[in-house]
Amino acid sequence: MSDQFKELADIPRDFLKDGSMFLNRCTKPDKREFIKISQAVGVGFVIMGTIGYFVKLIHIPVNNILVGGA
């Protein structure tokens, strides 16, 4: 029974140990890396917005044809 309790107690301890090791290895991005990430995110927003716009642009007339403008 104590072995089971010890195994259950080791799980959160190992998780916290791995998490702290991960956080210690992480570094803040430098200016160049931050700008590159920001540009990639911005391009992704533009692409997704364009796709959404064209889907909506096509959906409205098709919906009016199918529903009949009700």
Side-chain angles (χ1 to χ4, degrees):
M1 175 120 161
S2 65
D3 291 337
Q4 291 176 344
F5 180 73
K6 187 176 179 183
E7 288 178 17
L8 286 175
D10 284 343
I11 293 172
R13 188 179 304 125
D14 291 340
F15 178 76
L16 290 174
K17 184 176 130 186
D18 291 342
S20 65
M21 285 174 48
F22 174 75
L23 288 176
N24 287 336
R25 269 192 240 160
C26 291
T27 59
K28 287 176 104 176
D30 59 352
K31 187 175 182 178
R32 185 172 152 251
E33 186 178 8
F34 179 76
I35 289 173
K36 197 169 198 167
I37 291 170
S38 299
Q39 287 174 343
V41 169
V43 168
F45 271 110
V46 169
I47 289 172
M48 292 302 289
T50 305
I51 290 170
Y53 176 75
F54 283 114
V55 166
K56 189 73 170 176
L57 192 66
I58 293 169
H59 179 264
I60 291 173
V62 170
N63 192 26
N64 285 338
I65 292 170
L66 292 176
V67 175

PDB file of all heavy atoms in Angstrom, residues 59-70:
ATOM      1  N   HIS A  59     -20.924  32.491 -49.948  1.00  0.00           N
ATOM      2  CA  HIS A  59     -22.029  31.904 -49.190  1.00  0.00           C
ATOM      3  C   HIS A  59     -23.313  32.726 -49.308  1.00  0.00           C
ATOM      4  O   HIS A  59     -24.405  32.161 -49.396  1.00  0.00           O
ATOM      5  CB  HIS A  59     -21.636  31.769 -47.720  1.00  0.00           C
ATOM      6  CG  HIS A  59     -22.712  31.205 -46.857  1.00  0.00           C
ATOM      7  ND1 HIS A  59     -23.557  31.999 -46.138  1.00  0.00           N
ATOM      8  CD2 HIS A  59     -23.094  29.924 -46.623  1.00  0.00           C
ATOM      9  CE1 HIS A  59     -24.416  31.233 -45.478  1.00  0.00           C
ATOM     10  NE2 HIS A  59     -24.136  29.963 -45.758  1.00  0.00           N
ATOM     11  N   ILE A  60     -23.225  34.044 -49.310  1.00  0.00           N
ATOM     12  CA  ILE A  60     -24.427  34.887 -49.316  1.00  0.00           C
ATOM     13  C   ILE A  60     -25.258  34.663 -50.577  1.00  0.00           C
ATOM     14  O   ILE A  60     -26.465  34.387 -50.479  1.00  0.00           O
ATOM     15  CB  ILE A  60     -24.047  36.365 -49.105  1.00  0.00           C
ATOM     16  CG1 ILE A  60     -23.544  36.567 -47.680  1.00  0.00           C
ATOM     17  CG2 ILE A  60     -25.242  37.273 -49.376  1.00  0.00           C
ATOM     18  CD1 ILE A  60     -22.973  37.947 -47.407  1.00  0.00           C
ATOM     19  N   PRO A  61     -24.691  34.752 -51.805  1.00  0.00           N
ATOM     20  CA  PRO A  61     -25.533  34.511 -52.986  1.00  0.00           C
ATOM     21  C   PRO A  61     -26.060  33.073 -53.070  1.00  0.00           C
ATOM     22  O   PRO A  61     -27.202  32.862 -53.479  1.00  0.00           O
ATOM     23  CB  PRO A  61     -24.624  34.806 -54.178  1.00  0.00           C
ATOM     24  CG  PRO A  61     -23.463  35.533 -53.639  1.00  0.00           C
ATOM     25  CD  PRO A  61     -23.365  35.207 -52.186  1.00  0.00           C
ATOM     26  N   VAL A  62     -25.233  32.103 -52.695  1.00  0.00           N
ATOM     27  CA  VAL A  62     -25.686  30.707 -52.735  1.00  0.00           C
ATOM     28  C   VAL A  62     -26.829  30.508 -51.759  1.00  0.00           C
ATOM     29  O   VAL A  62     -27.831  29.835 -52.077  1.00  0.00           O
ATOM     30  CB  VAL A  62     -24.513  29.750 -52.439  1.00  0.00           C
ATOM     31  CG1 VAL A  62     -25.003  28.331 -52.235  1.00  0.00           C
ATOM     32  CG2 VAL A  62     -23.480  29.806 -53.555  1.00  0.00           C
ATOM     33  N   ASN A  63     -26.727  31.089 -50.583  1.00  0.00           N
ATOM     34  CA  ASN A  63     -27.800  30.969 -49.591  1.00  0.00           C
ATOM     35  C   ASN A  63     -29.077  31.633 -50.094  1.00  0.00           C
ATOM     36  O   ASN A  63     -30.171  31.108 -49.888  1.00  0.00           O
ATOM     37  CB  ASN A  63     -27.350  31.598 -48.274  1.00  0.00           C
ATOM     38  CG  ASN A  63     -28.271  31.265 -47.130  1.00  0.00           C
ATOM     39  OD1 ASN A  63     -28.937  30.237 -47.149  1.00  0.00           O
ATOM     40  ND2 ASN A  63     -28.323  32.140 -46.133  1.00  0.00           N
ATOM     41  N   ASN A  64     -28.959  32.783 -50.747  1.00  0.00           N
ATOM     42  CA  ASN A  64     -30.152  33.451 -51.275  1.00  0.00           C
ATOM     43  C   ASN A  64     -30.798  32.636 -52.372  1.00  0.00           C
ATOM     44  O   ASN A  64     -32.038  32.610 -52.500  1.00  0.00           O
ATOM     45  CB  ASN A  64     -29.789  34.846 -51.805  1.00  0.00           C
ATOM     46  CG  ASN A  64     -29.548  35.821 -50.680  1.00  0.00           C
ATOM     47  OD1 ASN A  64     -30.023  35.626 -49.561  1.00  0.00           O
ATOM     48  ND2 ASN A  64     -28.794  36.867 -50.960  1.00  0.00           N
ATOM     49  N   ILE A  65     -30.001  31.946 -53.185  1.00  0.00           N
ATOM     50  CA  ILE A  65     -30.574  31.095 -54.243  1.00  0.00           C
ATOM     51  C   ILE A  65     -31.294  29.895 -53.636  1.00  0.00           C
ATOM     52  O   ILE A  65     -32.405  29.549 -54.033  1.00  0.00           O
ATOM     53  CB  ILE A  65     -29.469  30.624 -55.218  1.00  0.00           C
ATOM     54  CG1 ILE A  65     -28.942  31.813 -56.017  1.00  0.00           C
ATOM     55  CG2 ILE A  65     -29.979  29.534 -56.141  1.00  0.00           C
ATOM     56  CD1 ILE A  65     -27.691  31.506 -56.825  1.00  0.00           C
ATOM     57  N   LEU A  66     -30.671  29.257 -52.628  1.00  0.00           N
ATOM     58  CA  LEU A  66     -31.258  28.060 -52.034  1.00  0.00           C
ATOM     59  C   LEU A  66     -32.497  28.402 -51.198  1.00  0.00           C
ATOM     60  O   LEU A  66     -33.511  27.701 -51.267  1.00  0.00           O
ATOM     61  CB  LEU A  66     -30.232  27.351 -51.153  1.00  0.00           C
ATOM     62  CG  LEU A  66     -29.047  26.721 -51.885  1.00  0.00           C
ATOM     63  CD1 LEU A  66     -28.066  26.143 -50.901  1.00  0.00           C
ATOM     64  CD2 LEU A  66     -29.528  25.643 -52.856  1.00  0.00           C
ATOM     65  N   VAL A  67     -32.425  29.456 -50.417  1.00  0.00           N
ATOM     66  CA  VAL A  67     -33.549  29.797 -49.538  1.00  0.00           C
ATOM     67  C   VAL A  67     -34.607  30.575 -50.310  1.00  0.00           C
ATOM     68  O   VAL A  67     -35.790  30.517 -49.976  1.00  0.00           O
ATOM     69  CB  VAL A  67     -33.033  30.598 -48.319  1.00  0.00           C
ATOM     70  CG1 VAL A  67     -34.165  31.074 -47.442  1.00  0.00           C
ATOM     71  CG2 VAL A  67     -32.069  29.760 -47.522  1.00  0.00           C
ATOM     72  N   GLY A  68     -34.219  31.274 -51.315  1.00  0.00           N
ATOM     73  CA  GLY A  68     -35.173  32.011 -52.117  1.00  0.00           C
ATOM     74  C   GLY A  68     -35.404  33.420 -51.612  1.00  0.00           C
ATOM     75  O   GLY A  68     -36.428  34.029 -51.900  1.00  0.00           O
ATOM     76  N   GLY A  69     -34.478  33.941 -50.846  1.00  0.00           N
ATOM     77  CA  GLY A  69     -34.591  35.316 -50.359  1.00  0.00           C
ATOM     78  C   GLY A  69     -35.665  35.479 -49.307  1.00  0.00           C
ATOM     79  O   GLY A  69     -36.201  36.563 -49.106  1.00  0.00           O
ATOM     80  N   ALA A  70     -36.015  34.416 -48.604  1.00  0.00           N
ATOM     81  CA  ALA A  70     -37.034  34.494 -47.554  1.00  0.00           C
ATOM     82  C   ALA A  70     -36.431  35.188 -46.421  1.00  0.00           C
ATOM     83  O   ALA A  70     -36.764  35.710 -45.538  1.00  0.00           O
ATOM     84  CB  ALA A  70     -37.489  33.092 -47.147  1.00  0.00           C
TER      85      ALA A  70
END
